[in-house]
Amino acid sequence: MALIELRNIRKRYLTGEQQVEVLHGIDLDIEAGEFLAIMGSSGSGKSTLMHILGCLDQPSDGSYRFAGKSVTGMDHEQLAWLRREMFGFVFQSYHLIGTASAWENVALPAIYAGMPREERKHRAETLLAGLGLQERLENRPNQLSGGQQQRVSIARALMNGGKVILADEPTGALDSASGEAVMAQLQQLAEQGHTVIVITHDAKVAAHADRVVEIHDGNLIGDVRHRNHLAERAHANVEPPVERALPDLGEVRESVVMALRSLRANWMRTVLTLLGIVIGVGAVVVMLAIGEGAKQEVVDRINERGSNLLVIRPDRGQQRVADGVIATLVPEDAEALKKLPNILLAVPEISGSVTARANGKDISTSVQAVSADFPRLRDWRLEAGIFFDDQDLTRYAPVAVIGQTVKRSLFRNSDPLGQFVLLNSIPFQVIGVMSEQGASGRGDDQDDVVILPLTTGTLRLFGQNYLRSITLAVDDITQIDATEKAAVQLLSQRHGKEDVRVFNMASLLDMVSETQNTLTMLLGSIAGISLLVGGIGVMNIMLVSVTERVHEIGIRMATGARRRNILQQFLTESVVVSALGGVVGVLAGVLIGLLLAQLGMAIIFSVPVMVASFVCAAGIGLLFGFAPALKAARLNPVEALSND
Ligand code: ADP
Ligand code: MG
């Protein structure tokens, strides 16, 4: 049994509408260990035949058996295995990877055979040294002469063993001396037991071989044996193994290294691609931090005013008495409310503007007539003196507690305690001074106030006892809704109709944080869109990269790369770019956030957001890299190789 058996091999190409047959039924047997030349003029179909022999292309018709196994029925994984383990190619135009050094080019087939890096390097160096290139290991192809490049490609053909060396016009691009040297090397390989098939149009080159087969217009027309070839060797076992579905760790590491190299080779483009992802991820991180910060700020401000408070006000639709006072809530309502369960305090209040006079000065300020629980309700402290108590209320005591602004305006140089202040010409004795409270949530000056006992205020100052509000402090905030309902029910009973409105700080909190969440979502989705745009940028660049590197892909396939290897290589590249962009983006986002925080903006970072946006970026790389990678993996080896 011959090593290679071709029977009635035909190859047709479809050019436009027309089918052209290039090989018209080739029958050829090649024994293991033969040194064979296939000779013919240009265009006779030599390269086409060689591509079929080397499993780079499939015949349109006929049968091809390699060591007794039918090649025609093999899938692309098995064909890749044959190319990787059995064949070694030497091309007229060398087909070396321009960005890789000499030894890396030689070692390429061993990557796909799974040889560890150190061993690979050592073997490549030994092979190159054997061909006199020990000084040129680190040179790139464009730093080598034609003869040297061809020797690199011979070394590459031998890397995985090279049982069958297929050389297509190996001397075609070389001067005669280098050509002679290359032929001598091939002859030596044949003597060492490799099966060597040389394709040439040159009879002088063919004369090196033991056997010369002549091809003319796609037909074999002659077969001359000059010498008997060396004793036939036992056939190698050529059972392609079952491929694992998943790459192992070493393979992944290798493709990351390759990805980093090719990204470095195009660093400007890499940076620009990265930028898209960086901006997207950075935007997500910053935007969500801003949104969260803004929300927390509002929530804090509301909590400051007491989220356990219920403020009851007259319904504006109700009947009014003079001066816009609405005749619904009365002080007795507050007493009744106090008896409801879950209520700590019920503080009635009437307020209005007055002219306050003391020490010969007049100011306009606001008056609040309240019950003695007021400081507890607001959690306000006194700076000096005392607050009025329930007895003062019962006695209609003409006393007042003043705020800091009033104190500064009226009692700049004297102690206000014990002095009298005239409110709309009615005298009240100052018994206490509140400590500084600052501005309210709405921006009002809370210190610009005179506080009176409710009773005294209604009787002497306002002349009526309809309240502006009753503020309830609830004990158990989780029951606040039930308490609110009970309060409204009680007041409706007392008034004979529902004539109040309740402002619930807790529900306000819910509402506000909900609005803020919507805002955060909005910011986040805008940022997410920019991430998506970054992903499309990655896809674009990967497509360009595949198009640019079709030739390289062809070389990798010829040296035995599986489709999976090619797919994985390009996927790795796009994931590496995106993940790198993700890391830089998170860092940039944090940096910008810190900067904004320095400028006084409320910023709350979220680690889950950072992790999620990083994962998202890497995922986008995977997603958008897939189509280009698949395009690369599906390339036809011959077509890819011819794309020079
Ligand atoms: P050789 O290597 O002997 O010079 P080839 O095998 O390269 O010849 O080509 C043989 C014939 O097949 C030529 O006429 C060429 O034009 C044709 N041919 C080769 N490849 C293709 C292709 N991909 N599509 C159409 N025709 C092709
Ligand atoms: Mg050719």
Side-chain angles (χ1 to χ4, degrees), residues 13-15 20 22 40-49 168-169 199 215 639:
Y13 287 116
L14 199 65
T15 39
V20 182
V22 178
S41 54
S42 176
S44 54
K46 304 184 296 294
S47 295
T48 306
L49 182 58
D168 188 355
E169 307 270 13
I199 282 162
I215 185 171
E639 279 169 31

Side-chain angles (χ1 to χ4, degrees), residues 222-422:
D223 188 344
V224 182
R225 199 176 289 273
H226 299 300
R227 285 176 290 271
N228 272 331
H229 72 86
L230 298 164
E232 190 173 325
R233 278 146 223 277
H235 286 163
N237 172 27
V238 290
E239 192 62 44
V242 177
E243 289 281 349
R244 281 165 294 123
L246 289 172
D248 64 28
L249 214 65
E251 229 176 89
V252 172
R253 225 194 66 189
E254 202 55 52
S255 60
V256 170
V257 171
M258 279 197 277
L260 286 174
R261 154 153 353 126
S262 89
L263 292 174
R264 219 176 27 232
N266 263 312
W267 69 268
M268 189 67 189
R269 193 158 84 188
T270 306
V271 167
L272 289 175
T273 314
L274 268 178
L275 210 58
I277 297 287
V278 168
I279 290 172
V281 171
V284 169
V285 170
V286 173
M287 292 295 186
L288 293 185
I290 290 174
E292 200 53 37
K295 173 178 157 189
Q296 199 54 50
E297 206 167 50
V298 174
V299 167
D300 284 351
R301 206 179 295 163
I302 291 171
N303 269 330
E304 227 165 67
R305 294 173 62 184
S307 54
N308 68 330
L309 300 185
L310 290 171
V311 181
I312 301 173
R313 294 222 164 98
D315 190 343
R316 288 191 172 277
Q318 297 302 314
Q319 182 202 347
R320 288 162 192 253
V321 297
D323 289 344
V325 175
I326 303 170
T328 48
L329 288 173
V330 291
E332 292 73 32
D333 289 334
E335 295 305 316
L337 285 168
K338 221 182 246 179
K339 298 197 178 81
L340 282 179
N342 197 30
I343 287 184
L344 288 177
L345 303 167
V347 177
E349 183 217 353
I350 304 181
S351 59
S353 306
V354 292
T355 306
R357 152 173 277 239
N359 289 329
K361 272 177 273 179
D362 279 335
I363 59 163
S364 172
T365 184
S366 66
V367 165
Q368 288 187 5
V370 294
S371 67
D373 289 329
F374 181 81
R376 278 176 61 206
L377 179 79
R378 293 293 186 86
D379 200 19
W380 284 9
R381 308 248 173 280
L382 284 155
E383 183 192 69
I386 54 166
F387 203 81
F388 46 80
D389 57 18
D390 286 335
Q391 272 194 0
D392 291 320
L393 266 92
T394 327
R395 289 192 297 113
Y396 292 84
V399 294
V401 176
I402 61 174
Q404 287 289 321
T405 305
V406 173
K407 177 191 162 193
R408 274 195 296 271
S409 306
L410 297 180
F411 304 98
R412 183 167 289 277
N413 301 315
S414 56
D415 182 3
L417 290 184
Q419 297 202 47
F420 283 88
V421 57
L422 294 174

Side-chain angles (χ1 to χ4, degrees), residues 337-587:
L337 285 168
K338 221 182 246 179
K339 298 197 178 81
L340 282 179
N342 197 30
I343 287 184
L344 288 177
L345 303 167
V347 177
E349 183 217 353
I350 304 181
S351 59
S353 306
V354 292
T355 306
R357 152 173 277 239
N359 289 329
K361 272 177 273 179
D362 279 335
I363 59 163
S364 172
T365 184
S366 66
V367 165
Q368 288 187 5
V370 294
S371 67
D373 289 329
F374 181 81
R376 278 176 61 206
L377 179 79
R378 293 293 186 86
D379 200 19
W380 284 9
R381 308 248 173 280
L382 284 155
E383 183 192 69
I386 54 166
F387 203 81
F388 46 80
D389 57 18
D390 286 335
Q391 272 194 0
D392 291 320
L393 266 92
T394 327
R395 289 192 297 113
Y396 292 84
V399 294
V401 176
I402 61 174
Q404 287 289 321
T405 305
V406 173
K407 177 191 162 193
R408 274 195 296 271
S409 306
L410 297 180
F411 304 98
R412 183 167 289 277
N413 301 315
S414 56
D415 182 3
L417 290 184
Q419 297 202 47
F420 283 88
V421 57
L422 294 174
L423 302 177
N424 288 355
S425 307
I426 303 156
F428 289 83
Q429 190 172 24
V430 177
I431 59 167
V433 180
M434 301 306 302
S435 59
E436 184 101 33
Q437 305 302 333
S440 74
R442 281 181 301 181
D444 304 331
D445 179 4
Q446 300 184 96
D447 299 310
D448 188 7
V449 70
V450 177
I451 305 168
L452 310 177
L454 181 71
T455 50
T456 326
T458 55
L459 182 72
R460 296 207 174 190
L461 198 61
F462 296 111
Q464 55 90 20
N465 69 346
Y466 290 117
L467 303 176
R468 200 176 70 114
S469 70
I470 300 173
T471 305
L472 306 177
V474 300
D475 187 10
D476 179 1
I477 197 161
T478 60
Q479 297 299 316
I480 196 162
D481 288 337
T483 308
E484 176 180 331
K485 219 172 266 167
V488 171
Q489 204 170 18
L490 178 72
L491 291 175
S492 301
Q493 242 168 38
R494 289 175 59 87
H495 299 168
K497 57 183 171 182
E498 191 170 326
D499 57 3
V500 296
R501 296 181 56 186
V502 183
F503 297 85
N504 181 338
M505 292 295 192
S507 68
L508 182 66
L509 200 67
D510 281 352
M511 199 181 71
V512 167
S513 60
E514 206 161 290
T515 347
Q516 291 291 331
N517 281 343
T518 316
L519 188 74
T520 308
M521 290 273 286
L522 202 73
L523 288 175
S525 52
I526 291 170
I529 287 169
S530 72
L531 192 56
L532 201 73
V533 172
I536 293 170
V538 170
M539 173 133 127
N540 185 22
I541 283 306
M542 290 316 293
L543 281 171
V544 171
S545 176
V546 167
T547 309
E548 275 182 359
R549 286 155 67 193
V550 167
H551 183 230
E552 178 194 318
I553 295 164
I555 294 170
R556 291 182 184 278
M557 285 177 159
T559 56
R562 305 160 185 84
R563 281 188 173 182
R564 185 186 82 207
N565 298 125
I566 303 291
L567 185 78
Q568 187 186 323
Q569 186 190 339
F570 282 90
L571 267 186
T572 309
E573 266 177 46
S574 80
V575 171
V576 165
V577 171
S578 307
L580 214 63
V583 170
V584 178
V586 167
L587 291 180

Side-chain angles (χ1 to χ4, degrees), residues 9 11 23 48-59 64:
I9 291 290
K11 181 68 183 178
L23 297 177
T48 306
L49 182 58
M50 190 201 85
H51 292 147
I52 290 171
L53 282 172
C55 301
L56 289 168
D57 208 354
Q58 300 267 304
Y64 173 11

